[in-house]
Amino acid sequence: MSNATCETVRDWIPEYASGRLAPLEVASVRSHLEDCSECRAELDLAMLILASRAEVPAGLARTVRAAVRSDRAHVHRPWWGIGAAAVAALALGIGMSSDGSEQVESAVPGYAFEIEDGDAWLSDDGLIAGAPDLDALSDEALLQFLDELNVGGAGGGV
Amino acid sequence: MRDDERSDAILSDEELVERARAGDDAALSDLVERHHGAAYRVAFSMLQDDDAAQDVVQDAFIKAFRALGGFRGDSSFRTWVLTIAGNQARGALRKRGRRKETALEDAGPMRSEQKAPDEEAVDAQEAVRARKMLERLPEKQKLSVTLRIEEGLSFKEIGEVIGSSEGAARVNYFHGIRRLRELMQ
């Protein structure tokens, strides 16, 4: 049995499963796994999750880059460009939005999104607002919860 | 910067962000290249819809680059863009009105190869089953497990993405793992 505890090994399992763990730590994990069925089961689960990871569609990066470039070209259009476009639109009799919203056509045909007033896509602190289940707990309560997860049930020690 | 100068060094995200702010198109492309995969997997795990997830990734990067001037660097660019992708996906879910029920065979495109340090073969059927169970977890548990195992984020980074403390992210992760093991038995 290695000196690494179950708690340490479980923290390392994601890196171990994906081959990102440092060699010294890999040896420690392997040694621990020989004698710990609970940590082996957790590794097996991590491997299953990695094996079923969604494949990123080919060409997505290219599509995103094109959309971003198109958007930047639109947003950073020089003042004379905006003026010229407005004149051209008026000359052509093209109606313009009266509600102040901005319709942005992306590089992907048929795709567009609208910027809405008050669209709080990012909270003030840059974080997603979430259900206050665990967030309302103190650090002490969270540690107690972690102890229960590590010691009881599926998280049993060595 | 000339292309040959750029190829000499791998730039950090912070350096790329600085260059993108200054209008460097290549830096912007590099940031997309590095992080679009993680953003897609976050969106897909929440939406279970390939087209919708791709739209979310596109929106997330557009919004991130629009707001780059106000990016303070309190978090990494990666966690920032993943946070935006998560928010976009949540918005898409709200518009959809209900979560799409996922059939076993629709559990998402599978990786074609498994790069693991051990030589144990992973049972494909079990992997699909594990994915289906993962999709059933509460959102924060699911995202914590996904971001920790698939993307290698730290608990601090996961906390930033899901809007929780580092401790709460850790609890969400281990609680999710425990529930998954129970569901898999």
Side-chain angles (χ1 to χ4, degrees):
Chain A
M1 171 70 71
S2 71
N3 289 328
T5 63
C6 286
E7 188 180 359
T8 301
V9 169
R10 284 174 186 162
D11 269 350
W12 287 344
I13 276 176
E15 280 72 27
Y16 178 77
S18 56
R20 295 192 298 261
L21 199 61
L24 194 64
E25 291 159 347
V26 166
S28 184
V29 170
R30 283 192 173 146
S31 172
H32 180 91
L33 291 173
E34 285 177 9
D35 298 318
C36 182
S37 59
E38 286 295 329
C39 287
R40 278 203 305 275
E42 200 155 311
L43 172 64
D44 289 344
L45 179 60
M47 302 283 278
L48 291 174
I49 290 169
L50 278 173
S52 61
R53 190 163 79 153
E55 189 106 47
V56 179
L60 177 59
R62 188 173 60 248
T63 304
V64 172
R65 279 196 298 267
V68 168
R69 282 185 185 129
S70 172
D71 181 69
R72 282 167 74 93
H74 177 87
V75 170
H76 296 297
R77 183 183 296 167
W79 64 268
W80 50 265
I82 295 171
V87 169
L90 287 172
L92 293 169
I94 298 172
M96 298 189 73
S97 171
S98 60
D99 61 4
S101 65
E102 181 185 15
Q103 190 79 12
V104 181
E105 293 292 339
S106 79
V108 178
Y111 175 84
F113 73 89
E114 191 164 350
I115 303 167
E116 300 163 7
D117 285 340
D119 182 7
W121 54 274
L122 204 61
S123 60
D124 290 343
D125 56 2
L127 303 176
I128 297 173
D133 45 355
L134 292 171
D135 303 331
L137 298 181
S138 67
D139 287 349
E140 200 172 56
L142 288 171
L143 279 174
Q144 188 180 346
F145 202 161
L146 268 177
D147 280 344
E148 289 170 9
L149 288 171
N150 284 331
V151 176
V158 183
Chain B
M1 168 179 262
R2 301 196 321 260
D3 286 346
D4 56 341
E5 288 175 332
R6 169 175 295 281
S7 64
D8 287 339
I10 297 173
L11 300 177
S12 68
D13 277 6
E14 290 75 18
E15 290 169 316
L16 289 174
V17 165
E18 279 306 309
R19 289 175 187 227
R21 269 183 180 148
D24 184 340
D25 194 55
L28 185 147
S29 291
D30 287 350
L31 286 167
V32 170
E33 187 63 37
R34 280 185 194 179
H35 302 298
H36 77 284
Y40 174 80
R41 284 188 288 272
V42 164
F44 188 84
S45 75
M46 295 173 72
L47 295 165
Q48 294 301 299
D49 182 302
D50 177 55
D51 288 340
Q54 290 196 51
D55 287 350
V56 159
V57 174
Q58 188 166 302
D59 285 359
F61 275 96
I62 286 173
K63 288 192 167 183
F65 286 125
R66 277 186 181 180
L68 207 56
F71 177 59
R72 295 170 300 182
D74 295 340
S75 61
S76 68
F77 179 81
R78 177 171 67 161
T79 56
W80 191 53
V81 80
L82 292 182
T83 302
I84 296 172
N87 268 340
Q88 291 289 110
R90 184 170 293 156
L93 278 174
R94 275 199 301 268
K95 285 178 182 171
R96 188 188 290 174
R98 63 178 177 82
R99 291 173 190 271
K100 182 182 175 184
E101 292 297 327
T102 307
L104 187 63
E105 58 272 24
D106 292 336
M110 302 284 292
R111 281 180 72 186
S112 55
E113 59 181 3
Q114 175 63 35
K115 296 171 184 173
D118 287 348
E119 294 179 354
E120 296 171 20
V122 175
D123 187 314
Q125 294 271 0
E126 279 295 283
V128 172
R129 193 163 154 258
R131 177 63 47 176
K132 192 171 188 296
M133 299 304 168
L134 176 61
E135 302 308 339
R136 289 181 182 174
L137 293 182
E139 186 177 289
K140 288 195 173 187
Q141 289 180 22
K142 177 170 62 179
L143 277 176
S144 297
V145 170
T146 301
L147 291 168
R148 181 78 190 100
I149 292 179
E150 296 185 8
E151 311 305 334
L153 263 63
S154 68
F155 290 119
K156 182 175 183 297
E157 290 173 317
I158 293 168
E160 289 171 8
V161 174
I162 67 173
S164 296
S165 67
E166 180 178 352
R170 181 182 285 270
V171 170
N172 270 309
Y173 169 78
F174 283 109
H175 200 186
I177 290 290
R178 178 171 169 172
R179 288 190 64 181
L180 272 177
R181 286 185 58 191
E182 290 168 353
L183 288 166
M184 292 292 287
Q185 283 172 356

